[in-house]
Amino acid sequence: LAKHPEIKALMKPDYNLIWVAVLMVLAQLTAFYLVKDLDWKWVIFWAYVFGSCISHSMTLAIHEISHNSAFGNSKAMWNRWFGIFANLPLGVPYSISFKRYHMDHHRYLGGDGIDVDIPTNFEGWFFCTRFRKFMWIVLQPFFYAIRPLCINPKPITRLEIINLLAQLSFDVVIYYLWGVKSTFYMLAGSLLGLGLHPISGHFIAEHYMFLKGHETYSYYGPLNLLTFNVGYHNEHHDFPNIPGKSLPLVKKIAAEYYDNLPQYNSWIKVLYDFVMDDTISPYSRMKRQLKGEVKQD
């Protein structure tokens, strides 16, 4: 910032995020209606080909919303309510809990017992062969759901209860209106999109140490168009209050800081290399023993 103070001008809400998220919710509602009478094979096909992409993209819209990028820091609660709305087509409550744990990930990156993005010792010990690492990728949604309860359980908040009740009510309405196929499409899309899917390469690309000494990596490939530029991950951790829309400008302005860092252009290759490289496993993360006072949401 001392060298490039113009970056401060990028620290403002991205109001386009609101309309994009609303359109994504409407797109999924339309898909719920369209699949209700299809054969099961086509329900599964469209859940993976279309629903999974929208669902994973929506989790990254929620990631943006968790940083108050939709309405700004001055309207934090507007972002929380909007996150609950954006959560609806995922089928499972996610937004409020994600925000609480994700802020810890930024404040205490790699913090042992705090950052739940770090796999558990069991994951590192068990998922050590190529086949097991492949299965670990397939099962990632379950580990991301269970890991916080094992590593850093937090008291349930009022907003989390509201998130849960709103989600259950939405799921019941979808089932009542359009039946089991629409409900299956909704849930399957979320599970498939967060598991063995090209976009899921970002889970591993962001912080797994393929090169010793480098714990955060950026991805500059085309899937950033579907993921709110989450691939610009060094830039995001440097400036978490800048919306994803503006992160390419951060890289352009401060090119001397980012251009020569290790980077990716294919999340599919990241997934392949993770499985096939016997030196990489869920253990391949930087873990820190935190000292001093720890403040969590």
Side-chain angles (χ1 to χ4, degrees):
L1 284 176
K3 189 172 181 180
H4 299 287
E6 63 270 30
I7 288 177
K8 292 181 180 179
L10 303 176
M11 298 176 182
K12 58 184 179 181
D14 173 17
Y15 296 117
N16 288 332
L17 173 63
I18 300 169
W19 307 114
V20 172
V22 169
L23 288 174
M24 290 168 68
V25 171
L26 293 176
Q28 279 294 68
L29 285 172
T30 302
F32 295 163
Y33 173 78
L34 292 175
V35 303
K36 66 184 180 68
D37 296 320
L38 294 181
D39 290 339
W40 275 107
K41 64 178 182 292
W42 290 112
V43 175
I44 296 170
F45 173 83
W46 287 114
Y48 187 79
V49 171
F50 182 77
S52 63
C53 296
I54 296 292
S55 291
H56 200 137
S57 184
M58 186 59 85
T59 67
L60 294 168
I62 290 170
H63 167 253
E64 289 284 292
I65 295 165
S66 76
H67 285 281
N68 294 335
S69 292
F71 295 97
N73 293 320
S74 63
K75 296 180 178 179
M77 281 305 299
W78 287 38
N79 290 281
R80 303 292 78 74
W81 294 119
F82 189 59
I84 292 173
F85 166 77
N87 193 153
L88 294 176
L90 296 179
V92 292
Y94 167 82
S95 178
I96 299 301
S97 296
F98 172 80
K99 196 270 182 189
R100 298 180 72 199
Y101 284 101
H102 187 65
M103 295 304 103
D104 293 340
H105 171 67
H106 276 274
R107 293 189 190 112
Y108 309 109
L109 179 63
D112 190 17
I114 301 295
D115 184 359
V116 300
D117 196 54
I118 300 289
T120 62
N121 288 331
F122 170 78
E123 290 172 75
W125 167 77
F126 184 78
F127 295 98
C128 56
T129 67
R130 292 179 180 181
F131 176 74
R132 291 180 185 180
K133 286 191 289 182
F134 175 82
M135 292 307 301
W136 183 77
I137 291 173
V138 172
L139 298 172
Q140 274 195 105
F142 297 100
F143 289 113
Y144 271 96
I146 295 170
R147 197 182 294 149
L149 304 177
C150 299
I151 294 179
N152 186 20
K154 296 183 178 185
I156 296 175
T157 64
R158 181 178 66 90
L159 276 178
E160 284 176 304
I161 294 173
I162 293 172
N163 193 177
L164 172 64
L165 293 177
Q167 191 62 60
L168 289 176
S169 299
F170 178 83
D171 294 352
V172 169
V173 168
I174 294 300
Y175 178 80
Y176 177 78
L177 290 178
W178 297 322
V180 68
K181 290 180 179 178
S182 296
T183 307
F184 174 87
Y185 169 91
M186 173 172 57
L187 297 172
S190 297
L191 291 174
L192 294 170
L194 296 169
L196 186 64
H197 194 280
I199 298 177
S200 291
H202 82 86
F203 289 132
I204 294 170
E206 290 166 359
H207 297 296
Y208 283 78
M209 295 178 65
F210 284 84
L211 294 175
K212 303 303 180 186
H214 294 275
E215 62 175 302
T216 303
Y217 302 78
S218 287
Y219 157 84
Y220 300 124
L223 288 176
N224 277 309
L225 295 172
L226 298 177
T227 59
F228 301 90
N229 288 325
V230 74
Y232 288 76
H233 217 66
N234 276 298
E235 296 85 346
H236 173 60
H237 272 269
D238 285 347
F239 301 103
N241 56 343
I242 293 180
K245 175 185 176 182
S246 299
L247 292 178
L249 282 175
V250 172
K251 181 180 183 295
K252 183 178 180 180
I253 292 168
E256 70 272 26
Y257 290 100
Y258 298 110
D259 283 354
N260 295 321
L261 293 176
Q263 56 192 252
Y264 300 115
N265 290 301
S266 171
W267 278 334
I268 295 175
K269 188 175 187 303
V270 169
L271 292 171
Y272 177 83
D273 289 345
F274 178 81
V275 172
M276 301 305 292
D277 189 338
D278 294 334
T279 67
I280 302 296
S281 76
Y283 271 142
S284 301
R285 292 288 298 264
M286 178 68 75
K287 184 182 286 190
R288 296 178 175 84
Q289 298 297 324
L290 298 175
K291 298 179 180 180
E293 185 179 4
V294 174
K295 296 181 179 180
Q296 302 184 66
D297 284 353

